[in-house]
Amino acid sequence: METTCIGPAPDLSFQLAPPLEGASELSGTTSVLAFCAGFSGSVTEELRAELRGLGAKLVAIHPRGGLLIAPDDEPRPLAPAPHLWEAYGVRRPEHGGPGLTVLLVDGQRRIRFRREGDALAPVEQALLKALRAAAASTRGIGRRELIVNAIALALGAALLEACATSQRKGGDSLAGDGSGLVEVPLIVNGQKRTLRIEPRVTLLDALRENLGLTGTKKGCDMGQCGACTVLVDGKRVDSCLALAVQHEGRSITTIEGIANGEELHPMQQAFLDHDAFQCGYCTPGQIVSAVGLLREGCPADDAGIREGMSGNLCRCGAYPNIVDAIRSAKGRV
Amino acid sequence: MERISYERADSVESAMKGGSRADAAFLAGGTSLVDLMKIEVLKPLHVIDVSRLDLRKIDVQQNGVRIDAMATNTDVAEHAGIKKRLPVLVEAILSGASAQLRNVATVGGNLLQRTRCAYYRDLATPCNKREPGSGCSAIGGWTRMHAILGTSDACIAAHPSDMCVALAALEATIHVRGPKGERDIPFADLHLLPADHPEREFSLAPGELITSVFVPFSAHGARSRYLKVRDRASYAFALVSCAAALDVQGGEIRAARLALGGVGTKPWRVPEAEQALAGKPAQRASFQRAAELLLAGARTQKDNAFKVELGKRTVVRALSLAAEAS
Amino acid sequence: MTTSVGKPLPRLDGKPKVIGAARYSAEVQVAGVAHGVIVGSRAPKGRIAAIDTSAAEREPGVLAVLTHLNAMKLPGGAEPADQGDRVVQALQDDLIRYSNQPVALVVADTLERATHAANLVKVREQAEPHTVRMEDEIQNGFKQDQKRPTGTIPGDQVTGDPEAARKAAHAVVEETYETPPETHNPMEPHATVAVWSGPDRLTLYDATQGIFGVRKKLAKAFALEPENVRVLTKFVGGGFGCKGSAWSHVVLAALAARKLGRPVKVVLTRPQMFAMVGGRPQTKQLVGAGATKEGRLTFLRHESTNTTSRFDVFLEPAAMVSRHQYASDSISTKHRVVRIDIGTPTYMRAPGESSGSFALESAIDELAVKLGVDPLEFRLKNYAEHDPEDGKPFSSKSLKTCYDMAAKRFGWEKRPRTPRSMTRAGMLVGMGMATSSYPANFNPAKALARLMPDGTALVLSGAVDIGTGTYTVMTQVAADAIGLDPSQVRFDLGDTEMPEAPRSGGSVTATSVASAVLAAGGALQKRLVRLSVEDPDSPLRGANPEDIRVEGGKLTANGKTDSFAELVKRAGGKPIEERAEVKPDPDRKKWSLHSYGAQFAEVLVDPDLGTVRVSRLVGAFAAGRILNARLARSQFMGGMVWGIGMALHEHSVYDEKLGRIVTRDLADYHVPVNADVPVVEPLFLELEEDHQVSPAGVKGVGEIGITGTAAAIASAVFNATGRRIRKLPITPDKLLL
């Protein structure tokens, strides 16, 4: 399945645009070069996730300049570089060239793949689909070489069918045979979400791994710390000891659903006001648990708050401030 | 966790049908079962979700209260009638676990809760309960949290439930439905002593589903307390706990029921200890005598010998508190 | 001039944390990541005789099973990269050195599949005799010095004539105090995501306190240029020392990712955090103290022994505290280390100071009681005006103020004069106190300050915020140094592409990084002033730099104003940047540098059942300049809460026969819950002047809260019951009379 090497990459030096200075030399790392008519510059978290997964940087080059995107950096604007189009032999879109030309360059500066095509969707979307397809098809492949090949093939495939969709994780097995998966419709933070997962997936892992809701934390995974606290039909529970499949039709509220849009929930504000956290890892569980506690009835005094919140460990020792926060939120919740 | 198949029972009949499979388990709240399945101590391959069966009522009757098996710990602890007439049950439940766990744990599941023995829970350490015949790592190991009553040479794991201690003292009856029909199990008969077969923990037949618990009302039940002694203020298993129920008239004990937690391989009752209180003054000396009898025959290990003395003092304190209650 | 430093600015990383948007290492979005689950050994010592991975490999979704038979040999080896690094077990040989040592790594496409497959790996072990008991190896204890980034401190030390001083004592206390093995248990389990982006480029998203240490280790192990290893850590769910070095799982994640050609995430289970990522070692400490009839210390002897692994040495420097805490005619201290078959211990909040202060402060309390002198008065009688070890002056020491503040607030005069003489609602009441202290460490650090075209500043340093508030306090320091409002400053951290900062440990971050930020910010301001006065187009051209006031992004002198934004525009619109590097001033060696404090505890003990509850905790601290009172208060408080756990709850129990930790989850290893923690009052001086300790005058507040607390509680238990417990934790069984 070796893709032949098309040739050496002629130029991997990209001039940064003002106010930045200098050039960025991409070598020793996988790079995706995308020559296109335009690139909005909005770099979504999804695109960053794909780039992280591939260990790749993306250089989007368009007639007025370009963008250098590394997954964990701010995108850096590039100066217009007409010479690059020439160097790579790409005809510009305004001169009748293709809407999108993608090249893949490996860590040894070799071009492994080249495809041209009309981008039927916005370039960012086409790229995202291409990268996702590449990731999906690289599962189970052992050799570094084959990754590059697979990216190449996948990019090509994705570009040719720009509307291709691929379902993320959710237990889609490698072989795609769906063995042992069940449909689990959940209502999470007011939204209907249907997962296709194995029955053994806990509610906690379904939230974190399958729905990308990482606000709920895994502290012990055995119901001993409360970091995974969510509300199920308004009651606080440890999601690590709950099977997702048991919660069909139940309304689940996570920390991401506690606020009222942009407006913080009074409990969240109280935690901020009283510095009721330090490292923050137990904090989502504390807040959700506190909301649940006050729904169960107003604790009469601080001792009641302490006892009622003892199912949420805080190793940073912020307990006194947590109690202050909850006390101040009594009556406001 | 092993790969499992899952079904949701829509009736007790269908639950029992699936439950007869040797590799099946009933799943209610999951706070014990899912925990143990995740660490592969228990490995059913098929779970039957019974949590949505219409078995969640708490029915106060003339002589007692019938609590359906799927009622959660919180449901029971918040019930006004139970608070009034069976306070030990509420206190016991509230002293256990955390609110999050109590909101989900069911009465039926709590009855069938497994031990917290660290060796049972660690696949790397031999355990006769988990793998019959493989040996008991606790004996000769770290035994601070282990039992001193009802033990055998095969197993010294303590029973972990607080609710069960209260139900034992209240002489509850457990109602089950199985392929062969319905029956009642007196509370004391539900949990088995480890003896030579610690893997046999319950007197339930395959496919039998607990559907409800009946807790009789009584004068002593109305004057009952639960005392739990533990290493930290909350969210911890008992070093020793005691459910004490006293019917006291004019300073004299008419009837008493006592059960111990944290020290037995099952909730521990000794009828002799209760009989020794009948007719006696509700005072420390009587309580101490009962405590002696309740802890009699204790077999201790290196790390849990202190539970004998602590146990006696806990009993005395619990009885004092029950005597003060009005 | 309005300053930001000192103001109680709320945490700038607060909002992401309360809305669940803060991403910790296991949560960074990395597409295509595979899940790695570690298989740990059973036996504590021996060899892997055989390992059968066939069943695991057959499981659907399993991508690879790494063992010592197929794992790549690390070109640079698994040995430590520097003094702060630990020996790890990365499948490089068949040796088993401790129970629950990594012996395989299973990688699958979902977490459930990897977890289940890990249980299918069959390891046949050839076990050898082992011991996890200090007593079994105590005769092989050896001397160990304390290695610090800034130099080595000898393990043994003597001042004066111990024999003569002992003879001169009227009352003597000579006791053994013991602290058990403990485990850090931050709420966030260790997690690493490893991504290779070329044959020689590695990116790690790692839950660590020190990104540069991780970079160094991985670069060495894989023989890479350090610049080609990037470590990113924006949020850490607690560290307390166990994330201060890269452990086995970090290397394993990188190995698996390299083999598979795809990112691999390894997250430890809670039980796995009890062996392979360190803990506080067990200590056995002999403390001897003697005083005259009037209560003046004549001799102090403190000998500490701690355990370590067979393959790596970690010293818990418990006796160090006795070298400077009190004035005494003679002070002698020793440190010994004993090798047993356990995983290597590591720094755990106030390593040495917390364990050592328990012993020392308990002994002092015993001596005071023996003499019939009030424990606070006794400490005042033996107050050290200069460092008793070498006569050095203290750079600052406001301990008397701390004693006074805390004693007043606590109501120390109400302390029962004799044990068992005070009850409340049937509980015995007791009160105790102790001295707190922590060395003011300073490690080299770098920072950069960059003025952006819009007039705001970006300040960078590769530190890590483990809940300590680094994001916030550095913003404040930078704002003041540059002359901006904090809302106009963005401080970022947690990336090895940034200037190098020390690991977040030893309470050094506030001291060291703040000094670097101060320097970089100051240099930037200086340059801006210079640009303003030298530019012919500037409103302030020709002005005297001394006359210029810089505040809120504006420069003013003689009624004229220039602004940062204008300045940058005139300079061509490009960012203006200054870098700084700070190192500890060699002059520091002339001083004894510590933070000090006082802790007061009240306990309620059930006279029959032996349960102990802390009902009140008051501490007063002096730690130089406090950068942010709100956040410092939380750090002090957190340390004090740790003291409750240390005194009453924490103990990693080893099964001696199996050589394995049996308290391996949060139900068996107790840390304080909310109900254990009463009103905790940390008082502190907001400004203790100290110009020697660091350019910013900062000393560090992360660890002092736990020092002395356990002793204060133990002394309170004595005051309540008449029973002196010298072996932690103080559990009910120890108080049953």
Side-chain angles (χ1 to χ4, degrees), chain C residues 378-721:
Chain C
F378 185 93
R379 288 168 169 85
L380 286 165
K381 275 189 209 284
N382 294 288
Y383 190 88
E385 297 289 354
H386 46 255
D387 193 318
E389 181 180 2
D390 46 26
K392 282 186 189 168
F394 291 111
S395 63
S396 60
K397 181 177 181 180
S398 307
L399 179 54
K400 283 186 183 161
T401 310
C402 292
Y403 284 145
D404 195 48
M405 274 171 75
K408 280 205 171 71
R409 179 83 189 149
F410 183 81
W412 180 245
E413 68 282 355
K414 296 198 191 75
R415 173 175 172 266
R417 295 283 172 254
T418 51
R420 305 188 85 87
S421 62
M422 187 190 281
T423 62
R424 190 185 302 152
M427 298 287 152
L428 293 167
V429 181
M431 302 180 194
M433 60 86 52
T435 305
S436 297
S437 64
Y438 196 82
N441 300 315
F442 189 148
N443 292 344
K446 297 179 185 172
L448 73 82
R450 183 185 297 152
L451 188 66
M452 305 303 280
D454 62 0
T456 65
L458 175 66
V459 180
L460 303 176
S461 182
V464 178
D465 188 331
I466 52 175
T468 37
T470 309
Y471 277 112
T472 311
V473 302
M474 298 310 157
T475 304
Q476 294 174 265
V477 172
D480 283 359
I482 299 169
L484 279 165
D485 192 78
S487 63
Q488 301 298 300
V489 176
R490 185 163 85 88
F491 176 81
D492 202 4
L493 48 73
D495 186 343
T496 47
E497 306 233 317
M498 296 174 181
E500 182 160 349
R503 72 165 57 81
S504 190
S507 301
V508 299
T509 303
T511 312
S512 315
V513 178
S515 299
V517 169
L518 191 64
L524 180 62
Q525 188 189 85
K526 225 170 168 167
R527 177 135 158 237
L528 296 175
V529 166
R530 197 166 45 86
L531 283 169
S532 188
V533 306
E534 288 175 2
D535 185 350
D537 295 325
S538 160
L540 297 180
R541 65 190 171 280
N544 185 349
E546 309 279 309
D547 296 337
I548 294 187
R549 233 179 76 136
V550 188
E551 196 179 334
K554 293 199 174 1
L555 307 96
T556 42
N558 313 321
K560 297 198 186 70
T561 311
D562 193 4
S563 79
F564 284 5
E566 291 290 305
L567 212 155
V568 175
K569 199 153 76 175
R570 292 195 313 264
K574 290 193 181 40
I576 301 170
E577 180 179 300
E578 283 293 330
R579 290 175 180 252
E581 176 175 353
V582 294
K583 291 194 170 94
D585 191 326
D587 271 359
R588 281 181 111 241
K589 293 200 166 80
K590 298 185 188 148
W591 305 88
S592 184
L593 308 133
H594 304 270
S595 302
Y596 282 97
Q599 305 248 17
F600 288 73
E602 180 190 89
V603 301
L604 300 174
V605 183
D606 189 305
D608 294 320
L609 304 177
T611 51
V612 180
R613 302 284 178 253
V614 179
S615 47
R616 258 193 98 196
L617 212 49
V618 174
F621 305 96
R625 174 190 297 274
I626 298 299
L627 297 171
N628 181 318
R630 181 195 208 97
L631 306 190
R633 185 174 175 277
S634 290
Q635 285 302 298
F636 292 128
M637 176 191 299
M640 292 163 79
V641 173
W642 267 62
I644 296 176
M646 182 178 175
L648 303 180
H649 305 130
E650 299 187 43
H651 185 177
S652 309
V653 180
Y654 283 83
D655 180 303
E656 293 174 4
K657 203 167 64 197
L658 299 170
R660 184 178 175 84
I661 294 179
V662 292
T663 51
R664 50 201 285 278
D665 58 32
L666 295 172
D668 281 325
Y669 186 91
H670 283 166
V671 301
V673 294
N674 202 321
D676 287 309
V677 180
V679 175
V680 175
E681 299 177 72
L683 313 169
F684 51 96
L685 296 181
E686 295 211 21
L687 180 58
E688 176 192 39
E689 295 269 359
D690 191 323
H691 303 286
Q692 286 77 30
V693 72
S694 65
V698 170
K699 285 184 179 179
V701 301
E703 291 167 280
I704 190 172
I706 192 187
T707 66
T709 332
I713 292 170
S715 295
V717 170
F718 170 78
N719 185 241
T721 64

Side-chain angles (χ1 to χ4, degrees), chain C residues 6-62:
Chain C
K7 291 210 167 55
L9 201 67
R11 266 175 230 263
L12 296 174
D13 53 332
K15 183 151 179 212
K17 286 175 175 173
V18 300
I19 64 173
R23 286 195 181 257
Y24 298 79
S25 300
E27 301 160 358
V28 175
Q29 282 193 283
V30 180
V33 71
H35 298 264
V37 174
I38 291 175
V39 178
S41 69
R42 298 175 178 218
K45 190 170 181 169
R47 284 180 182 274
I48 303 168
I51 188 160
D52 179 2
T53 60
S54 53
E57 285 171 22
R58 276 198 303 268
E59 281 292 300
V62 171

Side-chain angles (χ1 to χ4, degrees), chain A residues 31-35 88 90 101-105 111 113-115:
Chain A
S31 319
V32 179
L33 308 185
F35 291 85
Y88 284 92
V90 179
T101 303
V102 179
L103 296 100
L104 192 78
V105 182
I111 303 173
F113 166 79
R114 182 194 178 112
R115 277 294 186 276

Side-chain angles (χ1 to χ4, degrees), chain A:
Chain A
M1 255 232 289
E2 275 269 347
T3 314
T4 46
C5 169
I6 294 168
D11 190 344
L12 284 175
S13 177
F14 304 97
Q15 192 70 25
L16 299 170
L20 302 175
E21 270 178 1
S24 192
E25 175 73 36
L26 289 186
S27 66
T29 181
T30 308
S31 319
V32 179
L33 308 185
F35 291 85
C36 50
F39 195 90
S40 74
S42 80
V43 189
T44 59
E45 195 48 47
E46 283 84 354
L47 189 57
R48 287 184 189 276
E50 296 296 339
L51 291 172
R52 278 190 200 110
L54 292 168
K57 292 186 182 175
L58 169 65
V59 187
I61 303 154
H62 58 77
R64 287 165 309 292
L67 267 184
L68 169 62
I69 298 155
D72 292 299
D73 294 331
E74 303 288 330
R76 286 142 98 194
L78 301 174
H83 62 281
L84 281 175
W85 298 76
E86 243 187 81
Y88 284 92
V90 179
R91 205 144 53 96
R92 295 162 71 118
E94 64 266 30
H95 300 151
L100 175 66
T101 303
V102 179
L103 296 100
L104 192 78
V105 182
D106 70 13
Q108 274 85 46
R109 301 185 64 110
R110 299 173 297 188
I111 303 173
R112 307 304 297 268
F113 166 79
R114 182 194 178 112
R115 277 294 186 276
E116 298 176 356
D118 291 315
L120 302 177
V123 170
E124 297 90 318
Q125 286 304 307
L127 271 168
L128 196 59
K129 282 169 188 159
L131 294 176
R132 281 182 177 162
S137 66
T138 61
R139 281 179 194 168
I141 297 168
R143 291 182 53 225
R144 177 103 208 109
E145 275 296 292
L146 292 173
I147 292 291
V148 173
N149 302 335
I151 295 172
L153 291 167
L155 273 173
L159 285 168
L160 290 175
E161 27 162 338
C163 299
T165 54
S166 74
Q167 182 163 27
R168 237 7 235 139
K169 262 266 177 95
D172 259 344
S173 75
L174 302 169
D177 61 1
S179 68
L181 302 183
V182 294
E183 293 252 327
V184 185
L186 297 172
I187 306 163
V188 181
N189 297 329
Q191 272 195 315
K192 208 156 166 218
R193 312 289 297 265
T194 302
L195 298 174
R196 273 190 80 228
I197 50 174
E198 292 180 321
R200 60 181 166 177
V201 176
T202 62
L203 180 59
L204 177 63
D205 285 326
L207 292 169
R208 284 171 63 81
E209 305 291 328
N210 298 85
L211 291 173
L213 293 168
T214 56
T216 309
K217 305 303 182 195
K218 179 178 289 189
C220 70
D221 213 17
M222 40 178 81
Q224 298 170 356
C225 77
C228 66
T229 307
V230 299
L231 299 178
V232 173
D233 292 338
K235 286 212 163 72
R236 46 182 177 157
V237 308
D238 289 330
S239 59
C240 69
L241 291 185
L243 293 181
V245 70
Q246 278 193 286
H247 289 75
E248 176 177 342
R250 298 244 187 268
S251 175
I252 296 154
T253 310
T254 69
I255 185 69
E256 290 94 341
I258 288 286
N260 184 10
E262 282 304 306
E263 196 187 310
L264 290 181
H265 187 283
M267 190 62 75
Q268 289 169 310
Q269 189 60 52
F271 268 62
L272 287 176
D273 295 340
H274 293 270
D275 204 39
F277 56 93
Q278 292 171 32
C279 80
Y281 198 75
C282 78
T283 308
Q286 299 276 0
I287 291 173
V288 174
S289 184
V291 170
L293 168 68
L294 294 189
R295 281 193 201 169
E296 286 160 17
C298 232
D301 53 16
D302 282 1
I305 294 174
R306 290 191 185 103
E307 173 59 36
M309 291 299 294
S310 282
N312 290 83
L313 300 186
C314 170
R315 191 51 162 151
C316 291
Y319 294 126
N321 288 357
I322 291 172
V323 173
D324 287 347
I326 296 173
R327 189 199 312 114
S328 81
K330 272 200 302 192
R332 286 197 281 138
V333 168

Side-chain angles (χ1 to χ4, degrees), chain C residues 102-381:
Chain C
V103 293
L105 182 77
V106 177
V107 189
D109 60 347
T110 74
L111 186 53
E112 293 80 16
R113 289 170 174 173
T115 305
H116 177 55
N119 284 330
L120 299 177
V121 174
K122 297 188 202 21
V123 184
R124 190 154 54 82
E125 296 166 339
Q126 197 179 309
E128 287 162 37
H130 67 270
T131 182
V132 293
R133 295 179 72 238
M134 181 196 269
E135 294 70 25
D136 289 344
E137 290 282 4
I138 201 136
Q139 71 282 4
N140 296 326
F142 55 93
K143 186 158 83 83
Q144 181 67 22
D145 298 330
Q146 186 188 25
K147 298 184 184 67
R148 286 206 195 153
T150 44
T152 298
I153 301 176
D156 291 5
Q157 155 278 352
V158 179
T159 61
D161 182 346
E163 284 307 310
R166 197 188 177 296
K167 285 200 181 82
H170 169 79
V172 170
V173 164
E174 260 160 351
E175 297 288 352
T176 301
Y177 302 87
E178 297 178 68
T179 64
E182 297 170 1
T183 305
H184 308 66
N185 281 310
M187 292 315 300
E188 179 205 18
H190 291 69
T192 307
V193 182
V195 187
W196 292 87
S197 57
D200 300 315
R201 277 172 198 259
L202 175 63
T203 304
L204 294 164
Y205 303 92
D206 185 38
T208 180
Q209 295 167 234
I211 50 178
F212 290 91
V214 174
R215 179 174 84 165
K216 202 168 180 181
K217 183 181 198 66
L218 275 282
K220 175 175 188 290
F222 287 92
L224 303 172
E225 291 303 316
E227 310 79 76
N228 288 345
V229 177
R230 188 174 180 187
V231 184
L232 290 140
T233 309
K234 297 297 182 180
F235 291 98
V236 182
F240 313 113
C242 68
K243 293 174 180 166
S245 50
W247 297 95
S248 306
H249 64 281
V250 184
V251 181
L252 291 177
L255 276 172
R258 193 186 177 96
K259 183 183 176 81
L260 287 171
R262 97 187 242 185
V264 171
K265 182 193 313 191
V266 178
V267 181
L268 296 189
T269 65
R270 185 57 59 172
Q272 285 172 341
M273 293 175 69
F274 283 84
M276 56 179 90
V277 288
R280 195 193 303 283
Q282 176 188 359
T283 71
K284 194 166 190 160
Q285 304 176 51
L286 262 80
V287 180
T292 63
K293 222 185 313 186
E294 297 75 34
R296 196 179 56 79
L297 276 172
T298 61
F299 90 99
L300 199 51
R301 192 171 116 243
H302 194 159
E303 294 172 12
S304 171
T305 305
N306 73 264
T307 52
T308 189
S309 66
R310 295 271 184 203
F311 52 90
D312 196 1
V313 179
F314 176 78
L315 171 72
E316 176 86 0
M320 298 292 178
V321 65
S322 292
R323 293 184 186 176
H324 70 81
Q325 197 93 314
Y326 299 108
S328 173
D329 298 336
S330 167
I331 299 176
S332 54
T333 56
K334 277 189 185 152
H335 290 92
R336 295 288 177 271
V337 182
V338 164
R339 294 186 194 265
I340 54 177
D341 301 300
I342 57 172
T344 314
T346 192
Y347 311 101
M348 180 164 167
R349 203 165 195 172
E353 291 80 15
S354 54
S355 39
S357 64
F358 166 66
L360 172 63
E361 295 296 314
S362 293
I364 293 292
D365 196 75
E366 292 202 59
L367 187 53
V369 166
K370 203 164 192 177
L371 285 167
V373 177
D374 175 275
L376 172 55
E377 214 188 295
F378 185 93
R379 288 168 169 85
L380 286 165
K381 275 189 209 284

